[in-house]
Amino acid sequence: MALLEELIRAIELWLRIVKKQEYVVNPYLDPVLLVPGITGSILHAVDEEGKKTERVWIRILGADHEFRTKLWSRFDPSTGKSVSLDDKTRIVVPEDRYGLYAIDTLDPDMVVGSDCVGYYHDMIVEMIKWGYQEGSTLFGFGYDFRQSNRLKDTMEKFQEKLETAYNSAGERKLTVITHSMGGLLLKCFMSLHNDIFEKYVKRWIAIAAPFQGAPGYITTSLLNGMSFVDGWEANFFISKWSMQQLLIECPSIYELMASPDFDWHDIPVLQMWRQRVDNSGQSSSLLESYGPKEAIPLMAQALSNNKVSCGGTQLAFPLNKDILKWAEETREIMSHAKLPDSVEFYNIYGIDVDTAHSVWLEYFYSLYLFS
């Protein structure tokens, strides 16, 4: 197994050397900060003595075992933080390449089929061709996506990243590009630290941001788990059940639930078939629909007996009411967010289709050409 890992890394290094190409740097470009969505950051596990660091998200070899051992967590309502069940493990986000490493290709060791773990990779490559330079005009912000979008630690690190990018670019304001849940993180920061946001940000481009929630995606994830890859790659990845157990204790997921107070054009519903038996003993099936508020008790009932085994102990993992309360407070904070007059805002989204990388690459390129 160790020999195989060394071989993969050797091939990957060789490919990088072959593909390496120098591009002309344009020092006059406004700095850009890329912020990913949920699961879009590499996570490392560090042991309690700090002697061993290993990537636990994303990896191929031993992926599911390491995921359960290192990333499964419990929500602490006193701090609002999800803490790993393994108390000997600390989860960190690597800061290599000015934050870009963590959001580029999520498994840098993967050679065959690497497209399935590429995140901002294509965009980073294109922007470097346009004249952007890592650490001068191009930065990334990876974060522990298990945590709340308004977690104090995350907000402080984001402020540090804004300051670093601003100063490194000669005190020029930033264009911040967020994808999916990254838009909620930025909205939380804008609400909680509006003056700092205005000081450092010139333009915000939100791509597929679920500002009112992602009801279908989140309901399915909490009840059935989340799958990221199809085909043969799935054999080396995280099982849907393992992912489900992580998400049940993640504040970020609950913050993506449908906003119950939003005036929806089409109200998101949870639908299920129920069997009915009439007085004559005849059975029939009835399709029932539940809105955002009505669906929560149903989900709680479905997960009431959910358990996981950790260290030989059975732990109850039902729908977490403490996280539901925390998420409600997060939505309240975001409802007071106000975009400063000096900041340009672009909201890019699609309807019933995935947001293709080519769409946001071309859109951002148009901003680059005409700004």
Side-chain angles (χ1 to χ4, degrees), residues 108-312:
D109 293 332
M110 193 170 185
V111 179
V112 180
S114 60
D115 288 347
C116 70
V117 292
Y119 198 97
Y120 271 117
H121 178 74
D122 290 345
M123 191 168 192
I124 292 170
V125 170
E126 288 299 318
M127 291 179 70
I128 290 174
K129 291 179 182 178
W130 301 340
Y132 286 88
Q133 183 179 36
E134 295 184 6
S136 177
T137 52
L138 187 57
F139 303 84
F141 182 74
Y143 56 96
D144 185 349
F145 50 79
R146 300 176 303 166
Q147 310 298 343
S148 168
N149 288 291
R150 63 177 168 101
L151 187 70
K152 186 173 182 291
D153 291 351
T154 305
M155 296 290 94
E156 290 175 352
K157 290 177 181 177
F158 189 72
Q159 179 177 338
E160 291 175 5
K161 181 66 69 172
L162 289 176
E163 292 173 350
T164 299
Y166 176 81
N167 292 326
S168 298
E171 297 187 346
R172 294 202 301 276
K173 286 189 174 185
L174 287 75
T175 292
V176 181
I177 302 176
T178 63
H179 176 240
S180 191
M181 192 181 76
L184 300 192
L185 187 152
L186 199 66
K187 191 173 182 180
C188 284
F189 186 87
M190 185 173 66
S191 180
L192 294 169
H193 307 286
N194 194 267
D195 56 336
I196 299 173
F197 182 88
E198 184 175 19
K199 178 180 178 180
Y200 294 120
V201 178
K202 173 182 179 179
R203 181 185 297 114
W204 174 18
I205 303 173
I207 303 167
F211 289 126
Q212 299 303 331
Y217 183 69
I218 296 308
T219 301
T220 299
S221 298
L222 286 171
L223 294 177
N224 302 308
M226 185 187 295
S227 181
F228 295 91
V229 293
D230 298 316
W232 67 270
E233 295 100 332
N235 297 317
F236 301 96
F237 209 52
I238 311 301
S239 71
K240 291 184 68 176
W241 182 84
S242 295
M243 180 58 73
Q244 180 191 13
Q245 306 317 312
L246 174 78
L247 301 181
I248 288 172
E249 290 290 314
C250 288
S252 57
I253 284 292
Y254 290 66
E255 290 167 356
L256 285 169
M257 284 180 156
S259 174
D261 303 316
F262 182 65
D263 184 19
W264 294 90
H265 181 268
D266 295 307
I267 299 176
V269 295
L270 172 62
Q271 293 184 313
M272 63 175 293
W273 291 95
R274 282 191 185 272
Q275 188 176 30
R276 302 290 187 182
V277 180
D278 60 25
N279 294 332
S280 64
Q282 295 292 321
S283 65
S284 61
S285 296
L286 178 67
L287 182 62
E288 297 180 345
S289 299
Y290 301 84
K293 290 183 178 179
E294 296 78 16
I296 291 177
L298 195 67
M299 295 170 65
Q301 181 182 356
L303 294 169
S304 60
N305 295 319
N306 186 52
K307 296 180 180 180
V308 301
S309 178
C310 180

